Structures are given as C-alpha cells and as structure tokens.
Amino acid sequence: MVRLFGVRDRPLLLVGPEEVSASVPAGRRTATASFGPSLPTQCVDVNLDSSDAVAGLAEATAAVREELEVPTGTIVDIALMRPLVSVRTAALPPTAPLRLVRLLEVNAARFFPWTDATIASVLSVSPRRRPQPSAPTLIAGVRLVDCETISRGIIDGGLRIGRMTAAPLLLATALASKRSRSQTMSGGESPEPVLFLTPLGSAVEATMVQRGQVLKTVAWPIAVGTGGTEADRQARCAIELLQLIGDAGWAFSQVILPDGTFASALAAALPDASLAFGEVTTACMSTATDEPIVRLLHAGLAAAVAPTAELFTPDAAATMKSRNRRLAYAIGVTAAVLLVGMPGVHLWGLGRELSYVRDARSAIAESAAVALETQTTIRRISTITDRLAQVERDRTSWSSMLMSLAFELPKSAYLLAVDGGEDGLRLSGVTGDSVETREALLRRGRSGVSWHAAFDEALGTVRFEAESEVPIAGMSESGTFPAGESQR
Amino acid sequence: MRETPDFRNQRKQPAVLALGVVLGSVLLWRVYLAPTVASIQTTREEIGSERLLLERELALTRQSGALADGWAVVSANLLARAPGLLPGQEPGGPAAALEAYVRGRAGEVGVQVVFPSGGAVQSDTTGLIRVMHEVRADTDLEGALALLHGIERGPKLIMVSELDLLRSAVDLQAGGSAPEHLELHMIVAGWAMAPEGFEKPAADEPETNFEALR
C-alpha cells in the first residue's frame, strides 16, 4: 500500500499552530484535526517544545491518517504554516541549491534573527533550477526545536516524513509556475503584477506575481473571536491585509482569489472597505474544488525544486550526516591509502632501479672481470719489474769498489780488513804515509768519512781506520781485475 | 518526555577520536612507515654503491684496448728480466738455486765457498721473494774480487748486501811478504717469483734471520 504513493502523489500534511490537515491528491480527500494548546494568533515565536504538543500533534496526525485510511508508516510530505515558519525575500548569490542551503544554515541567524535560529529552508520561485542573482528568492526559516517537535509528533502519529517545507513557499511556487497555475486557476498571465490572496490556516497570504515571478509576499494573521463565520474572518483579515498593502505602495492590476466561500465573503466586504487602490478587480480560480488551497499546495510541492524546497527533517539530517560521514570516510581512506601506499610505491620504484643497475652490472660482469684481472696483473707485473730495476740500479758493485780502492791507495798502504754493508763502509789497514792515504780516500768526494791513524810500534808503521757512514754504491766500474796490484 | 542528548559522551567523542588517530599514527609509524623508510634509505645506499661500481666497471671495459697494450709492454719487460730471477717457487727451491748458482760462480774462479747456514726467505710485497745466503770462503784478494765480479756480472740478479774481508794474522806478522790470505764473508741475496698467494714464509722456515746472518 505504501508503494502506491509515489513522490508526486504523497499525502500532504499541512501543519499549523492549531490543526493538522491531511490531503490525498489522488482521491482529492482532505481531513482536518485540531490539537491543543491553541496558539496566540500573532505569535511568531511559536514554541511547540513540549510533550503536550507532541502528544496532541501525534493524536491529530493519527486521526487524519485514520480518516483518510492512510496506512501506518506511509511517507508523507509536510508543509508548515505560519507562524511556525517565517518567510522573507532575500537576494542570494547564484549558488547551487545544495550549497545555498548550506549557506543559509550557516547564516540562519542573519536571515531570521531569532535567538535560536539554527536552520533555514530556501525555496526558489524562479522557474529555472538555479536561482538568479537578480530574482528575489523566498526563503523560509523554522526553529530547529519546533522542527523536531513536529517531526516527533508526526512520527508518533504513525507516519514517516518525506520532505518538510514551508506552506507559503509552496503557494508561491504554485503561483509562480505557469503550469501549476494553469492547472489550478485562471488569471495571472497579465504582464501587469497581480496579487494572489490565499487564506492559509490562521493567516491570509498575499503574494504579488508578475510574469510568473514572485515579487513580494506577506501574511496577516486572522483575528479570532471577532464573530461571524470563518470565511467572514478571513475576508476581514484580507481587507486589513489589502489596506496594509495599499499603504505600503504595492502596485498591481488584479486580485486573484481562490474559489469558495472566502472569495464570496471578500467580494461582499470589498465595497464597504476604503481601500487606497480605488477600483480593484477580482478574479477567481476557475476550478471549483473543495480545497483549492490544498491543490495549490500540492502543485507547489510538485513544482518546487526538490533540493531547495525542503527543511531538514531528522531523517534528511541523518541522511546528510551519513553522506558527510561517508565522504569523510572516503577521504580518510584515500589519505590512509596514500600514506601507506606512497612509501611502498617509492620502495618498489627504488627496487626496480636497483635491479636495473644490477642487471647492467651483470651484463658487463664478464668483460669487467677480465679487464679488472688484466689491470691487476699489469700492475703486479709492473711493480715486480720496477722493483727488479730498482734492485739492479741500487746494488753495490763491491768488485769495482775494491779495485778502485786498490788503485787509489798509495803504494805504502795496504788494507787489513774491509767491512761493508748497507749502513756504510769500514776500512782498516797500515800505511807508511798516512796523509797521502787519507787524501786518497777523500779524493773522490766521499762524504762522512771519519779518519783515525796511530803508529803501531809492533808493526813499525802507521795503522789507520776509516769509516764512511754512507753506503758505497755504484762505484766506478773499471773493468778487469788489476792482477799486478793485488798485494794491496 | 523529551530525550536529553548525552552531551558528555558527545564531548568525549572528539577526544577519543583524536587519541585513536594519534595512537594509530604511532602504530603505523612503528610497524610500517619506519621500517619502510629505513628500507628506502638502505636501498638508496645500495643503488649509490651499485651505480659507483657500474661506472667503474664501464670505465674499465672502455680501457680494454689500452690494457692490451699495457699487457704487451709489461710482459716484454718481465720476460726481459726473467733470466735474472732464481728458479723455483716452492719453499726452499729458490734458496737451493741461489746456493747452487753462487757455488757455480765460485767454482768458475777456483774459490771454495762454504754455506754455513741455510738460506733465509723473505716475502716481498711486490710479489717477489728475497732469498739470502751466507757465504764464507778463504781465498786471496784476486779470488775474492773474481768471485764478487762473477756474482755481480752474472746472468742472475744477485746482490751482495754485506761484505767482510779480513786479512789473516799470519799476513800481518809476515809484514806483507807472505802470500796473501783473506777470509771472505758475505751475504748474497737473490730474487724469485713468489708463488700465487705466497704472502708469508712457510712455518718451518724462519721469516728472516738477518741478524743471525750478520
């Protein structure tokens, strides 16, 4: 049974400060139930935050639900009437509907200066889906606590809430929409501004429309306890409203009224009213229905731009919260994946680079090993040959040195001992001429030669000792052995 | 009765969430990020060293032509100097060759030589081994000079590192008129190619006994 109601055919629950009206558009049936406590007529700051209000609203909701035979759990749309909602015109930037709603939420206190204004609803009456900067935009605000109370009462009454919006905005939308207007009323097609007067619960709404564009809207509460029928009270309220509009300088060419007792009563009362407009022509809606206002509301609900025509019900808020959580979760997961994945990807890249370098080394490993071995061998052989050359160059030629000494020493001298090594050369011998012998040893420029000579009485000659600290190397190579001088 | 929101728990939620984020971050750093960063650092160092080796190997392979030329030159040099080296690479081989060579040179000039001690072998860092022998002989000056000349001018690269020539007391008392008689003592050294991997002398051979030889 629930599935029989599509979004466009949902039952509409019109909630006012004193009563609840439900309507099913398919069967054109309406039901109304009142709940207490009754509210002051001009109370703008309505407070339904009480258990009594919730219980009364739940009881009234259940009554209309049973009367219209709407099953329990059916999703219904909610339209809040004044003064539960406050409506005003605002120039808003050309922003996407969803962002516009967020903007209004943030600036709710600016547009609706209630002390605890925490939420706002916006309904663009522009026929385009996005509000234009030059077009006035009707926005409605409701206190969050009232929204919650109403939601709780309706849910306790056995219904589920689909969309929750403001009834004045639905009316304005219906009046501004040519399609909706053609289905529900005549008139309003004039290029001149026209004024729609619609009784709505405890107030009468006046909306000035020109070429499908809502210019202004205002509501005036119906005074209670002034006698007469409801239609008479609505007519008196409408006349008061028209007087206010005249004083405000609104200019319009025609007043359009809903068909029914309200129109008749107002038409009867107008001649006696002293209005500033002079002659006011009236036109009525062409379709004679029992509840034209309800039809307007349904038409406005259908014509409303869906994302911007809703107040945030608890379900919608939960949905948005869930969406935000999912978005935050997705962002968090993405960040975590990046945080975890980036080092891994970087390490993987480094591993590939390392394997590439190693492959390059492997490709030339054989030739490089051969070249390295060749280089090492060349160095080793060069070291060996250099060492051998150095040995050959630095080795002492003892035979040449001894022959040189034999030739250089005077004939009176002969050697007794020769002691040579890497640290030097020591000579000892006897001589008859120590001076000549010493000069002979020093003649060839040997440095560091120490000389010691003493007369040996036993031998009867001079015994000398000479020592050179410098190793004697590379002595002159004088060729063959001097056999004749060997006795020296 | 309207439900009262649990504001206390709502206030705690951000703190719990922040604590969880902090603990999770620390755990993530300890368990995953820190080891990964360390691995990245290690891999970078490996890449640096591998790249350095690759550049060196590439430079080496590019020098293959020059290496071939160098090989030819050093091979010729080594072949030219090879006859001067003592044969034998096994321990004791070069020492025996040195002894035989010196004995042969002495025999050519008619000098009797004695090798009072075994040869000493010393490894050379250049890839050569140095073999040393103590040589004693009783001869005259002519024989000593002929022996020295033969050793120094022979085909082998032999160096006389120490030389002691002492005229005997008999000659001194004779006042130079007696036949010349010299005591010759010298230490000769030769070189041989070290065997592959030969760094130190064998354990049964003394590493060096130069002091004892003196």
Side-chain angles (χ1 to χ4, degrees), chain A residues 366-432:
Chain A
E366 189 173 352
S367 58
V370 171
L372 183 63
E373 181 67 22
T374 305
Q375 187 185 48
T376 305
T377 307
I378 288 174
R379 287 179 178 171
R380 187 179 179 191
I381 294 175
S382 298
T383 306
I384 290 172
T385 54
D386 291 345
R387 172 65 175 155
L388 293 175
Q390 182 188 9
V391 169
E392 188 172 8
R393 186 172 59 249
D394 295 344
R395 65 175 176 172
T396 304
S397 178
W398 294 103
S399 58
S400 301
M401 186 202 70
L402 291 175
M403 284 190 292
S404 175
L405 283 173
F407 281 112
E408 291 172 2
L409 286 176
K411 293 186 181 299
S412 60
Y414 59 93
L415 297 174
L416 297 178
V418 176
D419 183 8
E422 294 178 352
D423 54 346
L425 176 67
R426 289 176 294 277
L427 303 174
S428 63
V430 294
T431 179

Side-chain angles (χ1 to χ4, degrees), chain A residues 340 398 416 418-420 481, chain B residues 32 145 152 163-165 167 172:
Chain A
V340 173
W398 294 103
L416 297 178
V418 176
D419 183 8
F481 178 69
Chain B
Y32 174 72
L145 290 176
E152 292 168 356
L163 174 67
D164 290 334
L165 277 175
R167 200 161 191 166
L172 294 176

Side-chain angles (χ1 to χ4, degrees), chain B residues 28-142:
Chain B
L28 183 65
W29 172 257
R30 288 289 182 90
V31 173
Y32 174 72
L33 289 179
T36 305
V37 169
S39 299
I40 287 174
Q41 186 68 23
T42 305
T43 308
R44 279 182 175 168
E45 292 175 355
E46 288 183 6
I47 289 174
S49 60
E50 291 282 339
R51 280 193 177 280
L52 191 61
L53 289 174
L54 177 62
E55 290 174 1
R56 289 180 179 175
E57 289 171 352
L58 285 174
L60 204 59
T61 53
R62 290 191 204 103
Q63 297 173 354
S64 56
L67 289 175
D69 297 340
W71 173 258
V73 172
V74 298
S75 298
N77 289 340
L78 185 62
L79 286 175
R81 296 190 178 277
L85 298 177
L86 297 171
Q89 292 186 335
E90 66 280 4
L98 176 62
E99 181 179 337
Y101 177 74
V102 173
R103 196 183 299 279
R105 303 306 293 181
E108 289 177 359
V109 297
V111 176
Q112 291 291 328
V113 294
V114 177
F115 298 88
S117 61
V121 178
Q122 183 185 30
S123 63
D124 196 327
T125 56
T126 59
L128 296 170
I129 55 175
R130 187 184 187 190
V131 183
M132 304 178 74
H133 249 304
E134 182 184 11
V135 182
R136 290 183 183 277
D138 291 330
T139 180
D140 54 6
L141 181 59
E142 183 179 1

Side-chain angles (χ1 to χ4, degrees), chain A residues 168-300:
Chain A
L169 300 191
L170 293 182
L171 287 175
T173 302
L175 295 174
S177 170
K178 290 181 180 178
R179 183 179 177 185
S180 301
R181 199 166 55 241
S182 65
Q183 291 176 350
T184 55
M185 67 188 73
S186 63
E189 300 294 340
S190 170
E192 298 296 325
V194 295
L195 187 70
F196 289 87
L197 285 178
T198 49
L200 190 63
S202 59
V204 175
E205 298 273 350
T207 305
M208 193 160 69
V209 178
Q210 183 181 21
R211 294 183 182 276
Q213 188 76 34
V214 174
L215 301 180
K216 297 172 183 176
T217 183
V218 68
W220 190 251
I222 298 173
V224 295
T226 55
T229 63
E230 183 180 6
D232 294 335
R233 292 196 295 274
Q234 290 173 345
R236 285 197 294 271
C237 177
I239 289 173
E240 292 174 2
L241 182 58
L242 288 173
Q243 288 172 344
L244 290 175
I245 290 173
D247 295 339
W250 290 22
F252 50 90
S253 61
Q254 195 176 27
V255 176
I256 298 177
L257 305 173
D259 191 12
T261 55
F262 168 65
S264 302
L266 183 58
L270 275 176
D272 299 333
S274 55
L275 297 177
F277 304 110
E279 184 179 357
V280 176
T281 60
T282 62
C284 291
M285 299 178 187
S286 59
T287 56
T289 61
D290 294 336
E291 296 290 337
I293 303 301
V294 172
R295 291 179 61 85
L296 271 178
L297 290 173
H298 277 283

